[in-house]
Amino acid sequence: MELPVLELPDVQATKPKIPINLTRVGVTDVKKLVEIKRKDKRPIVLISVFDIFVDLPSDRKGANLSRNFEAIDEVLEKAINLPVYEIEELCSDVAKNLLTRHEYATQAEVRMKSEYVVKRESPVKKMECQEVVDIFAEAIAIRKEDDSIDVEKLIGSEVLGMTACPCAQEIMREKAANILKELEVEPHTISKFLQTMPMPTHNQRGRGIISVKTRGDVKVSLDEIIHIIENSMSSSIVELLKREDEAFVVETAHRNPKFVEDCVRTMARNVIDKFDYLPDDAVITIKQINEESIHRHNAFAERVAEFGDLKKEISQG
């Protein structure tokens, strides 16, 4: 005797007591192993954290959250056989897959963040070491009236570096000049010394952040973003340093003092130079956070602009 098949109720599809639309419903902190292919190099394996959302109409009590996990697993399983070269493309694929599975949704959003290991070497001794930077990607898929899907993608990174304060350095320069005068050092010798030896100042550990938001098939190099951030502060920093390397990093930073605002402006100029192929409507977000060493607060600067506006502004400067 066959037992009757019971149809389980779809509670999520029932009408809620308070029928309002919800902007985001989903899951956060989903950890997955992601393999990113590279041409002529070994693949990069990332332990990544995903946040996954869809919008929810007012006539549904809840979203079918298990479909979010199915969407990620399906795309990652596909990536085993088909090469994935950009993490923002991976997010885009998951977002589009979410709209296929959540037929009631009009928008899907996928965020991914991970730690990315890059190889570096110390500036003097040339010792190889590994540095860790934070990388992130996002994709927003929107279902249009004709049922086609429009996707916005974002790629970015946060990199640590070092900044030296120009203001305190100028104060120390003036103090050094006065002391040398009191010691009856010749004026031309004082001038030569101050030009040769950078003065002390207080330092900050800086965190530079760049993200680029685009549509369509525009490719943005993550490694280039990291390189721009590293070279926009007073000095890059390296995990493994001998004494000669330490002296080089400190002197380099003090020869290149920068305010938090200077770092953002330098990154902006370098983004325009390196990514000159970007469409004018690409959105560039640049941030710098300096963790102060002689204050309790941090210094912060930011610029958000469309690429075309930023390019025009820099060209007129």
Side-chain angles (χ1 to χ4, degrees):
M1 180 178 176
E2 293 185 3
L3 295 175
V5 178
L6 297 177
E7 290 190 11
L8 299 177
D10 186 357
V11 179
Q12 288 96 334
T14 61
K15 188 173 181 178
K17 292 181 179 179
I18 305 174
I20 62 170
N21 298 324
L22 299 181
T23 306
R24 289 190 187 97
V25 175
V27 292
T28 63
D29 296 326
V30 179
K31 290 186 178 181
K32 292 290 181 180
L33 200 64
V34 176
E35 184 176 290
I36 305 297
K37 303 289 192 302
R38 295 188 297 173
K39 293 180 180 179
D40 303 323
K41 293 182 180 180
R42 290 187 300 175
I44 300 169
V45 178
L46 303 172
I47 299 176
S48 303
V49 178
F50 289 87
D51 296 338
I52 312 145
F53 310 104
V54 294
D55 66 327
L56 191 68
S58 60
D59 60 353
R60 286 190 64 92
K61 187 176 182 66
N64 301 98
L65 297 185
S66 63
R67 297 178 186 178
N68 294 1
F69 296 99
E70 292 170 358
I72 287 186
D73 287 336
E74 180 178 306
V75 173
L76 292 181
E77 189 66 28
K78 178 182 176 183
I80 294 174
N81 301 312
L82 297 176
V84 174
Y85 291 102
E86 292 92 18
I87 57 175
E88 69 272 30
E89 284 296 335
L90 177 62
C91 291
S92 174
D93 289 345
V94 175
K96 287 185 287 187
N97 196 312
L98 285 171
L99 284 187
T100 301
R101 293 175 181 275
H102 296 273
E103 68 284 349
Y104 48 81
T106 60
Q107 180 171 309
E109 183 175 349
V110 177
R111 303 173 186 171
M112 170 189 172
K113 56 186 177 180
S114 185
E115 290 185 333
Y116 177 44
V117 177
V118 294
K119 289 186 177 180
R120 295 291 184 262
E121 63 179 19
S122 61
V124 179
K125 290 295 186 178
K126 306 300 179 184
M127 295 181 298
E128 291 189 354
C129 60
Q130 293 182 342
E131 300 292 332
V132 177
V133 301
D134 292 328
I135 60 174
F136 53 90
E138 297 178 11
I140 299 176
I142 300 173
R143 196 195 310 274
K144 301 168 73 174
E145 290 185 0
D146 61 0
D147 214 34
S148 62
I149 296 176
D150 189 22
V151 181
E152 279 187 348
K153 299 176 296 183
L154 179 145
I155 181 72
S157 180
E158 177 178 328
V159 182
L160 293 177
M162 175 182 177
T163 59
C165 177
C167 185
Q169 189 176 62
E170 194 58 38
I171 295 171
M172 295 304 296
R173 184 190 300 277
E174 185 176 348
K175 183 175 182 179
N178 291 333
I179 291 174
L180 290 171
K181 286 179 184 177
E182 292 174 2
L183 295 174
E184 300 181 349
V185 177
E186 294 292 331
H188 74 276
T189 303
I190 295 176
S191 177
K192 187 176 181 180
F193 173 77
L194 293 177
Q195 291 175 7
T196 305
M197 186 66 184
M199 289 294 99
T201 186
H202 69 96
N203 309 123
Q204 303 95 0
R205 174 174 288 179
R207 292 190 280 134
I209 304 165
I210 294 176
S211 68
V212 180
K213 183 189 292 185
T214 59
R215 296 176 183 270
D217 296 326
V218 180
K219 307 296 182 185
V220 179
S221 169
L222 183 60
D223 288 327
E224 195 63 65
I225 288 177
I226 294 169
H227 181 75
I228 288 173
I229 301 172
E230 284 180 326
N231 289 278
S232 295
M233 297 184 232
S234 296
S235 174
S236 58
I237 58 176
V238 185
E239 185 68 22
L240 183 59
L241 295 173
K242 293 293 187 179
R243 284 180 295 178
E244 295 90 340
D245 297 305
E246 288 183 358
F248 182 90
V249 169
V250 171
E251 184 173 353
T252 297
H254 284 72
R255 289 190 183 280
N256 187 31
K258 286 190 173 185
F259 289 124
V260 65
E261 299 92 339
D262 295 322
C263 297
V264 169
R265 290 179 171 127
T266 302
M267 284 188 276
R269 183 191 61 203
N270 291 336
V271 165
I272 296 301
D273 291 342
K274 297 295 183 181
F275 298 122
D276 57 351
Y277 58 87
L278 287 176
D280 284 348
D281 63 352
V283 178
I284 312 299
T285 301
I286 303 170
K287 300 178 186 179
Q288 179 73 22
I289 305 165
N290 286 350
E291 299 174 355
E292 293 281 4
S293 58
I294 63 171
H295 306 291
R296 293 184 180 274
H297 60 261
N298 295 334
F300 177 89
E302 179 183 45
R303 178 61 193 271
V304 180
E306 289 191 345
F307 184 79
D309 294 337
L310 193 60
K311 180 169 60 176
K312 182 178 179 181
E313 189 174 344
I314 288 177
S315 67
Q316 294 175 345

